[in-house]
């Protein structure tokens, strides 16, 4: 099939895997990381779920002014240089060092234990979430998932972590998750009250444990003992993904700032233009506020929102 020529002049074109069927934006921690980063940095972008890998064989990757960039770290560096965005400008040298160390722990260690759980042990559930359509979709899903399983096991063995037993791998996973929970503590974000690049990384990975691994050990851990990580994931999801909604949502992880007015959702957009400050509905009409903002423009799920002021305003109305 002849490929469509994309015009990336002054536009961020984000190539990534197709949306899963369970409402989660991506089964890939790195795709979810970079799309969340774009929303955190308030950068408009265009999604393309064409399944086409970058010249380096990577996913996700972006095009901007006909320049192709792959690898989430290089993508962020490129956008910072070209567009002047910087989510870490409030961090000092020591905090930046911690942020990078946490990023590498998550991406080079924790990621592999998640991949094992997702594509090896829990493959039957992951297969249900893969989005493929057509008369042979079930067969194609089976082939795709088992090919991916073989690739993951081979790469994990080459990495070294795949040479341990399943119980040993889960021990390493639990240590990583407890480290993140201890680092987060009762803070709003990993590095304090303000969001930074490391939050996109951590969220992209923890979201897999939170919403794509039903009944597994990482899900039980994050929704049980490490409840601060679950609240952290909900906080980011509600602020930066207001249209991401699950049928089984409940109020277990909601903070005191939650309100009924904030529970208005729209479906995840596919081939869509997205901007957090100005997005578009299905008819193409401009929407100036996202559903999780109150009359002041603050997120209802931010811990620094003055809810007394909000309630007074509602009563006046």
């Amino acid at each position: 099939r002849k490929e469509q020529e994309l015009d990336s002049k002054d536009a961020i074109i984000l190539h990534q895997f197709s949306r899963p069927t369970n409402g989660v934006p991506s089964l890939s921690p790195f795709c979810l990381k970079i799309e969340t980063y774009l929303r955190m940095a308030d950068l408009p972008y265009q999604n393309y779920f064409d399944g086409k890998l970058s010249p380096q064989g990577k996913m996700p990757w972006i095009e901007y002014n006909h320049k192709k960039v792959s690898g989430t770290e290089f993508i962020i560096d490129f956008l910072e240089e070209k567009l002047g965005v910087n989510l870490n400008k409030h961090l000092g040298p020591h905090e930046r060092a911690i942020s990078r160390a946490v990023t590498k722990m998550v991406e080079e260690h924790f990621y592999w234990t998640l991949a094992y759980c997702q594509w090896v042990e829990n493959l039957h559930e992951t297969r249900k979430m893969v989005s493929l359509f057509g008369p042979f979709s079930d067969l194609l899903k089976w082939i795709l998932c088992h090919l991916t399983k073989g690739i993951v096991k081979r790469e994990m063995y080459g990495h070294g972590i795949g040479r341990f037993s399943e119980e040993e791998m889960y021990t390493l996973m639990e240590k990583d998750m407890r480290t993140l929970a201890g680092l987060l503590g009762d803070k709003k974000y990993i590095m304090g009250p303000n969001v930074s690049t490391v939050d996109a990384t951590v969220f992209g990975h923890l979201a897999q444990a939170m919403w794509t691994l039903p009944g597994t050990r990482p899900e039980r851990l994050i929704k049980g003992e490490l409840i601060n990580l679950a609240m952290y994931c909900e906080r980011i999801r509600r602020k930066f993904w207001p249209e991401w909604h699950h049928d089984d949502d409940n109020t277990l992880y909601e903070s005191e700032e939650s309100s009924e007015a904030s529970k208005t959702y729209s479906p995840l957009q596919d081939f869509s233009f997205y901007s957090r400050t100005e997005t578009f509905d299905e008819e193409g009409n401009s929407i100036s506020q996202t559903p999780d903002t109150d009359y002041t423009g603050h997120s209802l799920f931010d811990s620094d929102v003055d809810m007394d002021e909000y309630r007074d305003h509602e009563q006046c109305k």
Side-chain angles (χ1 to χ4, degrees), residues 110 177 205-211 216-233 253:
F110 181 50
M177 293 180 70
H205 288 73
L206 287 181
Q208 307 303 318
M210 183 83 174
W211 290 295
T216 61
R217 290 169 66 172
E219 187 203 48
R220 292 195 300 269
L221 191 60
I222 195 173
K223 293 183 177 180
E225 187 177 348
L226 306 182
I227 194 70
N228 67 327
L229 293 182
M231 296 177 69
Y232 167 80
C233 287
Y253 310 109

Side-chain angles (χ1 to χ4, degrees), residues 104-117 120 151-177 205:
K104 293 301 111 180
M105 179 195 76
V106 170
E107 293 185 345
E108 305 296 339
H109 194 265
F110 181 50
Y111 163 75
W112 290 108
T113 57
L114 278 177
Y116 174 83
C117 189
V120 180
I151 293 171
V152 168
K153 291 181 72 175
R154 183 178 71 245
E155 292 188 350
M156 288 183 68
Y157 190 85
H159 176 279
I161 199 170
R163 306 182 188 215
F164 297 114
S165 68
E166 179 179 298
E167 187 60 34
E168 288 171 327
M169 281 191 284
Y170 277 119
T171 297
L172 296 174
M173 170 186 280
E174 183 173 334
K175 286 183 177 181
D176 288 343
M177 293 180 70
H205 288 73

Side-chain angles (χ1 to χ4, degrees), residues 131-242:
S131 178
L132 282 177
F133 302 97
F136 303 106
S137 60
D138 289 340
L139 176 61
L140 291 174
K141 284 183 183 181
W142 189 93
I143 294 173
L144 173 66
C145 289
H146 280 78
L147 283 174
T148 304
K149 176 182 177 179
I151 293 171
V152 168
K153 291 181 72 175
R154 183 178 71 245
E155 292 188 350
M156 288 183 68
Y157 190 85
H159 176 279
I161 199 170
R163 306 182 188 215
F164 297 114
S165 68
E166 179 179 298
E167 187 60 34
E168 288 171 327
M169 281 191 284
Y170 277 119
T171 297
L172 296 174
M173 170 186 280
E174 183 173 334
K175 286 183 177 181
D176 288 343
M177 293 180 70
R178 290 187 184 280
T179 298
L180 291 173
L183 182 63
L184 176 64
D186 59 359
K187 299 194 300 294
K188 187 175 179 181
Y189 299 113
I190 295 295
M191 301 309 297
N194 298 314
V195 71
S196 58
T197 303
V198 70
D199 291 299
T201 302
V202 174
F203 174 75
H205 288 73
L206 287 181
Q208 307 303 318
M210 183 83 174
W211 290 295
T212 73
L213 297 172
T216 61
R217 290 169 66 172
E219 187 203 48
R220 292 195 300 269
L221 191 60
I222 195 173
K223 293 183 177 180
E225 187 177 348
L226 306 182
I227 194 70
N228 67 327
L229 293 182
M231 296 177 69
Y232 167 80
C233 287
E234 278 291 342
R235 189 177 304 124
I236 292 179
R237 186 188 81 157
R238 291 175 183 273
K239 182 167 185 178
F240 298 103
W241 291 91

Side-chain angles (χ1 to χ4, degrees), residues 96-107:
R96 289 171 185 260
I98 293 175
S99 178
R100 178 165 176 78
V102 172
T103 297
K104 293 301 111 180
M105 179 195 76
V106 170
E107 293 185 345

Side-chain angles (χ1 to χ4, degrees), residues 76-90:
I76 292 172
D77 290 345
F78 174 81
L79 294 175
E80 287 181 351
E81 178 184 351
K82 294 295 182 181
L83 302 178
V85 296
N86 189 353
L87 294 181
N88 298 331
K89 60 185 178 182
H90 61 285

